[in-house]
Amino acid sequence: MSFDLVLFGGTGDLTWRKLIPALFQAFRHGKLPEGGRILAVARDERSDAEYREYIRDKFAGVDEAKQPSADEFARFAERLHYRRMDLSKPEHYAGLKQWLDERGADTVVLFLATSPYLFPAICSQLGAAGLNGPHVRVVLEKPLGHDLASAQEINRVVAAAFREEQALRIDHYLGKPAVQNLMALRFGNALFEPLWRRESIASIQITLAESIGVGTRGDFYDGTGALRDMVQNHALQLLTMIAMEPPPSNQADAIRDEKLKVLKSLKPFTPETVGRDVVRGQYKAGTIAGRQVAGYLDEVKVPAGSRCETFVALRTEVQNWRWAGVPFYLRTGKRLAAHDSQIVVNFRPVPHPIFPGTSRANQLVIKLQPEDGLELHLLAAKGSGTSEALSPVFLDLDFDKAFAAERVGGYERLLLDAIAGRLNLFVRSDEQEQAWRWVEPVLDAWAADDTTGPRPYVAGSWGPPAASALIARDGCAWAEEQ
Ligand code: BG6
């Protein structure tokens, strides 16, 4: 199958940090279909050879194991092309169309790796230039809007040029093997599903913790914050996969219909419940892995006195028969104690304990990163002959070890899916809008509150103490405090 993949924002951060390395991995793994061209477009003048040189230099910043040898790069680079485009000029789109039409590839994927503010203008121009035929797909990278109205506006313009199945909204978490395993765990195995409900599950925690700070992205991040950057998309997508009903099939819309129902069932926030059920924080200077790190306000390009949140913890509920009354806790932040993303499913304790000593409830830990696996925490008899008290033990499944050679990274998977037209792992417009609808009251309540602001936490900690108090109210504790 021949394809042309056009990367708008071809010299941008996302392209050289994530997309090109992912495409190279796909190439190295022999998964990038033969007959594919990758065309980077950006504003400045460069030849193909200059662009290839530019990308070769950028590979120096990639993990060593993922760097190409000279020979590999030479073969991969044959696929790379470059074209100067001023994205405001219709004639430049016409030129691009001509370049694509001359070859007439089976599939054209247009990846918008530009600032999202340009999406509406680019999509209208693509439509006007006729770059929206049935063999064309457009890929949109987050953030898709900064609130419901702006997301709807982007979707309106996209829908004027492309059909829904041509518009692929990326949430790179959905491309992670660990996240696909969530679907496998729930719907490929009969073991857990009968227990996957309020009668057996006491609470669920989703933690997306990063130890990195905002780096050099201070200006972007300050206009975004953790709620928009991580909760509206990644954390909510994980929640939908944990809470959704079994879909009738593995088809994209069957899955997305079920995810949408979960988003619609989330307990809506009011100004009062935001104060009670949502904690926002901002990191101060501290120590991470023995290294002193700056506070958020001292990061480059962060405006003085910023009230941007770098941490969010919240409690919500999925209001339906399966989950009524089960708290879902979501937590994410920068400069936390560890880089650790996981989902913890806390089962209810046995109804009538017969063994002496404390009885710990079972727990399923779904590890997303850096490790990718499952831990099932149980109690077992030691058989020591001296005590009948049970001891905690756990089953540990390491998917990285089990499937090492076959695993592919998030962007690699999503780019290959975009080329092949597999839509399961992309977010539909109604899901994305519903997620905005749910977070918006939190944004509004924070905007209206000019007294409290985010709570400080020390870099290298697990966030402000109020996050622990939030969950302690229900008699629970975050996984690391249990
Ligand atoms: C991005 C956010 O979507 O996800 C970043 O914009 C964040 O702020 C990143 O660091 C985390 O992704 P990953 O794959 O490193 O967990």
Side-chain angles (χ1 to χ4, degrees):
M1 179 197 68
S2 61
F3 73 88
D4 281 329
L5 169 64
V6 183
L7 302 174
F8 289 86
T11 51
D13 203 61
L14 179 68
T15 297
W16 58 258
R17 228 162 33 89
K18 300 271 192 195
L19 303 182
I20 298 275
L23 288 163
F24 169 67
Q25 287 309 314
F27 171 77
R28 176 183 261 179
H29 295 146
K31 299 203 161 126
L32 197 63
E34 287 296 327
R37 295 187 301 186
I38 300 163
L39 175 70
V41 304
R43 201 177 325 187
D44 38 352
E45 193 68 65
R46 290 167 206 256
S47 64
D48 285 357
E50 282 164 340
Y51 185 71
R52 291 168 185 167
E53 193 90 336
Y54 166 82
I55 289 296
R56 205 196 45 206
D57 293 347
K58 292 291 188 193
F59 264 111
V62 169
D63 282 356
E64 218 171 302
K66 296 191 171 168
Q67 289 184 13
S69 66
D71 172 56
E72 277 177 321
F73 186 78
R75 284 185 291 118
F76 174 65
E78 284 170 16
R79 307 233 179 162
L80 288 181
H81 302 269
Y82 180 83
R83 188 176 179 89
R84 184 179 91 80
M85 264 183 86
D86 178 335
L87 295 177
S88 64
K89 294 213 165 113
E91 61 272 26
H92 286 200
Y93 291 84
L96 171 64
K97 182 165 188 309
Q98 197 186 342
W99 190 84
L100 293 166
D101 285 351
E102 270 164 20
R103 168 157 187 253
D106 301 330
T107 301
V108 173
V109 177
L110 307 170
F111 196 120
L112 307 195
T114 61
S115 156
Y117 295 105
L118 296 172
F119 290 177
I122 300 176
C123 285
S124 325
Q125 295 266 18
L126 291 171
L131 275 164
N132 57 349
H135 65 305
V136 178
R137 287 187 268 280
V138 64
V139 183
L140 307 158
E141 185 43 71
K142 80 174 254 289
L144 283 167
H146 55 274
D147 58 10
L148 178 62
S150 53
Q152 284 174 326
E153 175 56 14
I154 294 176
N155 286 336
R156 193 187 60 72
V157 180
V158 172
F162 296 95
R163 293 193 315 274
E164 178 70 37
E165 62 275 21
Q166 289 179 284
L168 279 48
R169 292 168 195 78
I170 279 213
D171 182 313
H172 78 277
Y173 265 63
L174 297 186
K176 291 183 191 276
V179 178
Q180 291 148 42
N181 251 324
L182 264 179
M183 293 287 286
L185 173 78
R186 290 200 53 204
F187 307 126
N189 296 283
L191 192 61
F192 289 110
E193 200 48 29
L195 302 175
W196 214 254
R197 55 192 66 250
R198 62 191 300 281
E199 289 79 2
S200 313
I201 292 179
S203 68
I204 293 183
Q205 299 178 10
I206 300 177
T207 295
L208 306 180
E210 297 185 277
S211 51
I212 53 167
V214 295
T216 52
R217 296 197 309 156
D219 46 353
F220 156 77
Y221 193 86
D222 204 71
T224 306
L227 190 72
R228 289 187 175 98
D229 191 41
M230 297 291 285
V231 176
Q232 186 272 344
N233 33 70
H234 308 321
L236 281 187
Q237 283 293 325
L238 293 177
L239 189 154
T240 60
M241 295 179 109
I242 283 287
M244 71 195 265
E245 294 300 315
S249 75
N250 196 23
Q251 294 304 307
D253 277 333
I255 295 170
R256 301 193 286 189
D257 288 345
E258 296 304 334
K259 285 163 61 193
L260 178 64
K261 280 195 218 158
V262 174
L263 292 166
K264 287 185 173 172
S265 310
L266 287 176
K267 189 173 181 174
F269 283 110
T270 63
E272 294 71 44
T273 59
V274 170
R276 196 190 61 206
D277 292 340
V278 188
V279 173
R280 58 178 159 154
Q282 188 185 79
Y283 62 85
K284 302 275 153 212
T287 310
I288 292 195
R291 199 169 61 85
Q292 186 66 26
V293 297
Y296 177 71
L297 293 177
D298 295 321
E299 299 279 21
V300 276
K301 299 190 241 166
V302 168
S306 164
R307 293 165 54 124
C308 173
E309 82 285 359
T310 60
F311 174 94
V312 179
L314 62 85
R315 178 195 192 281
T316 187
E317 288 178 23
V318 178
Q319 296 181 310
N320 61 20
W321 274 45
R322 185 187 283 263
W323 295 114
V326 177
F328 283 72
Y329 305 102
L330 268 50
R331 172 175 68 154
T332 185
K334 303 251 182 234
R335 286 287 188 229
L336 294 181
H339 175 217
D340 192 8
S341 296
Q342 59 174 23
I343 300 170
V344 178
V345 180
N346 290 305
F347 288 90
R348 294 195 186 279
V350 293
H352 174 65
I354 60 166
F355 293 99
T358 49
S359 79
R360 273 181 77 137
N362 299 140
Q363 197 178 53
L364 177 68
V365 181
I366 303 165
K367 297 193 281 186
L368 305 175
Q369 59 186 27
E371 293 113 42
D372 168 10
L374 284 181
E375 273 175 18
L376 182 59
H377 293 253
L378 306 162
L379 289 179
K382 269 197 199 152
S384 65
T386 52
S387 158
E388 286 193 335
L390 302 184
S391 305
V393 288
F394 65 97
L395 297 171
D396 190 1
L397 279 180
D398 182 337
F399 294 138
D400 275 330
K401 227 181 248 162
F403 305 119
E406 290 156 67
R407 308 229 100 185
V408 302
Y411 272 106
E412 183 179 344
R413 166 73 199 256
L414 293 173
L415 283 161
L416 291 173
D417 281 1
I419 292 167
R422 287 185 296 260
L423 306 188
N424 293 23
L425 300 177
F426 296 95
V427 179
R428 208 168 55 189
S429 58
D430 49 3
E431 280 181 79
Q432 182 222 345
E433 289 181 13
Q434 189 57 34
W436 277 119
R437 204 166 277 122
W438 184 74
V439 298
E440 210 166 60
V442 182
L443 294 168
D444 292 346
W446 287 349
D449 167 11
D450 45 18
T451 48
T452 40
R455 295 165 192 268
Y457 63 94
V458 179
S461 70
W462 280 103
S468 301
L470 167 84
I471 187 166
R473 254 191 359 232
D474 296 333
C476 303
W478 295 108
E480 76 281 356
E481 294 168 343
Q482 289 173 4

